[in-house]
């Protein structure tokens, strides 16, 4: 009797080893694209570290750091086109910034400003999604609409390993499979759903092999190898664009920081584990070594790039903190395209109460 064993993992696709040396076929990308991807990773790490400090200073609200996952995000977003639909979770800011989201807009979101959820008009990115896994169903709907309209665009849904324990994950994969929807499900498996390790979420050895149950293709890549991520995502996107249906991509990575700024990972994560990933598997160090070995990156460029990134982030912070404050009643105006009578009454009542409170002070 042939039995498919759940503990037999899918192989991990890799282009670069931990020292940045090729162990697989290097994608045929122009030097400026390779350098552009690296610059995107440097900018993302700089932004993330600054945002974490801003939260600790009380200048922004709760924030979900992504350091350590830059390759998974930049590599996958680099395989998308501007006309493709993107449905992120709350930890995709690196990719979203690379795809055109202004950094000050990302900061405004953590400041609680309504404009923080406004995406650039020339992109098809949706705002950050906090509700776990719900964006997968939205992506399936968008991809299905593209197919019905005869468009070549695809949809990409981003989520973490914890989302694979949600019903929406399974419903989305099943619906996409049945109707051969042009959608890519991109899972950043960083090993932890807050404090729950992936081993406590599933008995299967990998996320990617779950694709078998839905009759779709599953790919498992080294999420800290930006070129492997790019290759895996490009294959998935090309399949979707060619009408070959959905793909589940698992990028095996690691978050170096807390789940959010409300989390203390020292209470559940082994310090030696963190040290191994930080010192041996940092995606930025790995890709920099590859570029240096190719002769297209130097120490001088490295110093200048980090300094330029710091200036760019500083300027974004200034723009965000000088942005006009929002009237709290603004929230009532964004429930529907046009305000209903009930919402108008609620807004007016709120304004009257706020005015009375101000008069009592």
């Amino acid at each position: 009797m042939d039995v498919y064993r759940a503990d037999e993992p899918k192989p991990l696709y890799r282009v670069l080893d931990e020292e940045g040396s090729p162990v697989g076929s290097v994608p045929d990308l122009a030097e400026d694209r390779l350098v552009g991807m690296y610059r995107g990773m440097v900018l993302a790490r700089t932004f993330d570290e600054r945002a974490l400090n801003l939260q600790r200073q009380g200048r922004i609200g709760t924030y979900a750091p992504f350091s350590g996952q830059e390759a998974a995000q930049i590599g996958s977003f680099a395989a998308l086109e501007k006309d493709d639909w993107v449905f992120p979770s709350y930890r995709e800011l690196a990719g979203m910034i690379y795809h055109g989201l202004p950094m000050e807009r990302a900061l405004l979101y953590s400041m609680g400003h309504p404009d923080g959820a406004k995406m650039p008009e020339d992109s098809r990115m949706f705002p950050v999604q906090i509700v776990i896994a719900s964006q997968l169903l939205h992506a399936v709907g968008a991809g299905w609409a593209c197919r019905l309209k005869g468009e070549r665009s695809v949809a990409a849904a981003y989520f973490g390993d914890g989302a694979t324990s949600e019903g929406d994950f399974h419903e989305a994969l099943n619906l996409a499979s049945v109707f051969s929807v042009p959608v890519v499900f991109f899972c950043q498996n960083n090993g932890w759903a807050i404090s729950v390790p992936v081993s406590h979420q599933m008995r299967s050895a990998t996320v990617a092999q779950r694709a078998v149950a839905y009759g779709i293709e599953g790919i498992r890549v080294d999420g800290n190898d930006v070129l492997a991520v790019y290759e895996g995502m490009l294959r998935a996107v090309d399949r979707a664009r060619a009408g070959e249906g959905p793909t589940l991509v698992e990028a095996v990575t690691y978050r170096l920081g807390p789940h959010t700024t409300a989390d203390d990972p020292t209470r559940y994560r082994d310090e030696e584990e963190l040290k191994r990933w930080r010192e041996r598997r940092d995606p930025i160090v790995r890709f920099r070594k590859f570029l240096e070995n190719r002769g297209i990156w130097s120490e001088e460029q490295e110093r200048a790039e980090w300094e330029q990134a710091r200036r760019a982030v500083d300027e974004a912070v200034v723009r965000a903190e000088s942005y006009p404050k929002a009237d709290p009643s603004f929230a009532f105006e964004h429930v529907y395209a046009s305000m209903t009578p009930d919402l108008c009454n609620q807004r007016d009542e709120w304004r009257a109460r706020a005015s009375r409170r101000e008069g009592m002070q």
Side-chain angles (χ1 to χ4, degrees):
M1 180 183 295
D2 292 330
V3 178
Y4 184 85
R5 292 183 56 85
D7 58 355
E8 294 177 352
K10 291 186 73 69
L12 185 71
Y13 180 69
R14 176 180 283 182
V15 173
L16 304 176
D17 65 16
E18 293 173 356
E19 298 303 316
S21 299
V23 292
S25 178
V26 176
D28 185 20
L29 292 171
E31 289 185 0
D32 62 336
R33 284 208 69 190
L34 293 171
V35 170
M37 292 164 72
Y38 181 69
R39 285 175 167 157
M41 294 168 71
V42 169
L43 181 62
R45 177 68 61 88
T46 305
F47 173 88
D48 193 56
E49 292 176 346
R50 184 65 187 282
L52 184 59
N53 289 335
L54 290 172
Q55 194 280 333
R56 299 309 192 203
Q57 295 165 4
R59 295 162 68 182
I60 65 173
T62 303
Y63 177 75
F66 56 76
S67 286
Q69 300 181 214
E70 294 89 352
Q73 297 185 34
I74 303 297
S76 59
F77 272 80
L80 296 171
E81 297 179 2
K82 278 291 186 180
D83 286 338
D84 293 329
W85 294 93
V86 180
F87 295 82
S89 72
Y90 48 81
R91 207 183 303 278
E92 273 74 50
L93 285 180
M96 294 174 75
I97 292 169
Y98 180 79
H99 207 58
L101 178 68
M103 288 185 288
E104 60 269 24
R105 198 73 61 83
L107 292 171
L108 286 173
Y109 183 86
S110 290
M111 292 174 174
H113 198 294
D115 284 356
K118 288 184 178 179
M119 296 295 103
E121 292 185 1
D122 63 343
S123 80
R124 286 181 163 181
M125 285 190 294
F126 271 61
V128 165
Q129 178 57 270
I130 300 296
V131 180
I132 305 299
S134 65
Q135 73 274 18
L136 276 69
L137 290 167
H138 305 160
V140 173
W144 197 359
C146 289
R147 199 194 73 178
L148 293 174
K149 294 167 68 176
E151 297 179 357
R152 66 183 301 275
S153 302
V154 306
Y158 284 82
F159 53 98
D161 47 286
T164 66
S165 296
E166 297 286 339
D168 285 354
F169 168 81
H170 301 281
E171 293 163 10
L173 266 67
N174 189 62
L175 185 62
S177 171
V178 170
F179 292 99
S180 193
V181 175
V183 59
V184 179
F185 300 103
F186 190 88
C187 175
Q188 292 189 82
N189 180 2
N190 64 24
W192 295 91
I194 309 182
S195 60
V196 180
V198 71
S199 60
H200 288 188
Q201 297 180 67
M202 63 184 190
R203 290 296 298 272
S204 55
T206 69
V207 172
Q209 70 193 63
R210 290 185 169 197
V212 174
Y214 299 100
I216 65 175
E217 183 164 293
I219 301 173
R220 187 168 179 254
V221 299
D222 184 338
N224 284 24
D225 176 355
V226 68
L227 298 182
V229 173
Y230 173 80
E231 287 273 82
M233 187 65 168
L234 185 63
R235 174 184 171 84
V237 169
D238 286 348
R239 289 187 72 253
R241 222 182 288 286
E244 297 176 19
T247 302
L248 173 60
V249 181
E250 175 188 6
V252 181
T253 183
Y254 194 83
R255 60 169 166 84
L256 298 176
H259 173 74
T260 70
T261 48
D263 173 44
D264 178 8
T266 63
R267 299 183 61 183
Y268 57 83
R269 197 165 64 179
D270 179 52
E271 189 64 30
E272 285 302 312
E273 175 186 276
L274 173 62
K275 184 178 180 181
R276 286 195 303 272
W277 282 90
R278 187 183 297 278
E279 295 183 356
R280 293 291 309 281
R281 301 173 183 174
D282 189 310
I284 296 179
V285 174
R286 181 188 298 194
F287 196 36
R288 187 196 73 222
K289 288 179 178 179
F290 167 76
L291 296 178
E292 289 174 343
N293 292 338
R294 279 210 156 188
I296 57 177
W297 198 252
S298 65
E299 290 186 11
E300 182 180 354
Q301 287 173 294
E302 178 74 2
R303 288 192 297 270
E305 191 61 37
W306 284 97
E307 180 57 35
Q308 180 176 331
R310 282 190 286 270
R311 287 197 301 269
V313 172
D314 286 345
E315 292 168 1
V317 171
V318 171
R319 290 193 296 271
E321 294 188 325
S322 60
Y323 199 85
K325 303 299 181 185
D327 181 345
S329 64
F330 191 73
F332 295 96
E333 301 168 7
H334 286 264
V335 180
Y336 299 107
S338 299
M339 290 184 65
T340 64
D342 283 347
L343 280 172
C344 290
N345 292 336
Q346 291 171 19
R347 181 196 58 192
D348 295 343
E349 181 180 347
W350 182 89
R351 285 176 173 171
R353 290 184 178 183
S355 179
R356 286 197 297 270
R357 282 197 300 268
E358 291 177 1
M360 295 171 61
Q361 293 177 354

